Amino acid sequence: MANNIVLSSAIRSNLITLQNTAQLQAQVQERLSTGKKVNSALDNPNNFFTAAGLNRRASDLSALLDGMSQGIKTLEAADNAMKSINKTVETMQANIRQARQDKSFKGASYSIDATTIGTVSAKTLAISGGAVTGTVNVALNTTGAGSAATAATVTAGAFSAVDFENAGGNNGQISFDLALDGAAAQTITVAYADVNGVAADSGAVTAAELAGIINTKAGSTVASVSAGKLVFTSPTTGASSSVAITNFAVSNGASGSGIANASATGAAAVAAGAVKTVDQLVTAINGNSSLTGKVKASNDGGKLRIENLSTEALTVVGATSS
């Protein structure tokens, strides 16, 4: 019976329109649900295959982006690890600085026992280890009996009486240059007029009489007599004390001799042996170039304090820590 239905042209046209409308509605719903304008090659072959290629490229780029993100995370983890290492090192440095500032572990104080050290034999403090190269010895005392400063002394040789009298008119003379303590030489001239009335016999002036005349001319007591010989002595003592006799001459008919050209210097005082004080030892240790920057000494209430400026063990031999 259905095959016998006959549709008019108007109804057929309306039916086709309804079918097309339903088809368009289904297409719109598909696009709305997928969010895509082209969902199959039937919609638009060119756009479909172009979109498919772009989708594959987008998937590849997404995979690369994921890999880059993973790499960034790895780098961030490594950076955090480096920061943690830096903080650990800084903490260690701070601990080391704090330890270096802690004097309780790197310093020791020593009492100076002058009786035990004494002055009979030389005693030293041997410092080694730490940052010190080899062994550095610091003297704890000096030895010896000591001596006073001495004056320069010249013995002028064997003396024979000088005769200022002569057949030519009693005008004989002797002369020499005398330099004391490095000063300019002074010419000493002794003539008949100087000895006449002073010496008991101007024809045989003795060593003692000549010494008195020389002292008068020199302005100080520089000449004396020892065992019958003229002796010239500087008025000062010490290393700067000196006597020099030069250019001795006998002239105008004088005869005899007793003064020889000679020179001599004095000696400085030598101190008796002594035990060094704490301050002297501090100066000696801190002034030793082999210990500079490696060991520091100080006076700790009358005791010698030695500080080790390195982190290695320091050995001090010749002392007992308090």
Side-chain angles (χ1 to χ4, degrees), residues 272-321:
V275 177
K276 291 185 178 180
T277 65
V278 171
D279 289 335
Q280 288 174 329
L281 288 173
V282 168
T283 300
I285 294 173
N286 291 337
N288 192 313
S289 59
S290 297
L291 299 176
T292 302
K294 304 168 185 177
V295 170
K296 180 182 178 182
S298 60
N299 189 328
D300 181 14
K303 296 180 180 180
L304 174 65
R305 182 169 184 79
I306 297 178
E307 295 181 25
N308 179 12
L309 301 182
S310 75
T311 56
E312 299 295 330
L314 183 73
T315 301
V316 180
V317 177
T320 301
S321 172

Side-chain angles (χ1 to χ4, degrees), residues 76-168:
E76 288 177 349
D79 181 61
N80 291 332
M82 291 297 294
K83 290 179 178 178
S84 177
I85 292 173
N86 287 337
K87 290 181 179 179
T88 302
V89 172
E90 289 174 356
T91 301
M92 293 173 63
Q93 290 175 337
N95 291 336
I96 292 174
R97 283 193 293 268
Q98 183 178 1
R100 288 174 64 89
Q101 293 171 356
D102 182 6
K103 297 182 179 180
S104 62
F105 87 99
K106 65 172 184 176
S109 297
Y110 304 91
S111 298
I112 305 300
D113 188 346
T115 302
T116 301
I117 295 173
T119 59
V120 176
S121 60
K123 302 291 181 62
T124 60
L125 199 65
I127 301 175
S128 61
V132 179
T133 301
T135 299
V136 178
N137 293 313
V138 179
L140 289 172
N141 63 354
T142 57
T143 60
S147 61
T150 60
T153 301
V154 168
T155 300
F159 182 83
S160 61
V162 181
D163 184 1
F164 288 87
E165 296 178 348
N166 57 67

Side-chain angles (χ1 to χ4, degrees), residues 132-262:
V132 179
T133 301
T135 299
V136 178
N137 293 313
V138 179
L140 289 172
N141 63 354
T142 57
T143 60
S147 61
T150 60
T153 301
V154 168
T155 300
F159 182 83
S160 61
V162 181
D163 184 1
F164 288 87
E165 296 178 348
N166 57 67
N170 300 329
N171 60 354
Q173 68 178 26
I174 63 172
S175 66
F176 58 91
D177 292 335
L178 175 64
L180 300 172
D181 303 333
Q186 176 186 8
T187 300
I188 304 294
T189 301
V190 181
Y192 175 80
D194 298 314
V195 302
N196 187 29
V198 176
D201 182 0
S202 58
V205 177
T206 66
E209 291 170 341
L210 187 56
I213 296 171
I214 291 172
N215 289 335
T216 298
K217 287 184 170 290
S220 61
T221 303
V222 295
S224 61
V225 178
S226 177
K229 298 179 180 181
L230 276 174
V231 177
F232 291 84
T233 304
S234 166
T236 64
T237 60
S240 62
S241 175
S242 65
V243 174
I245 298 173
T246 57
N247 302 321
F248 175 75
V250 180
S251 59
N252 297 336
S255 62
S257 62
I259 302 176
N261 294 334

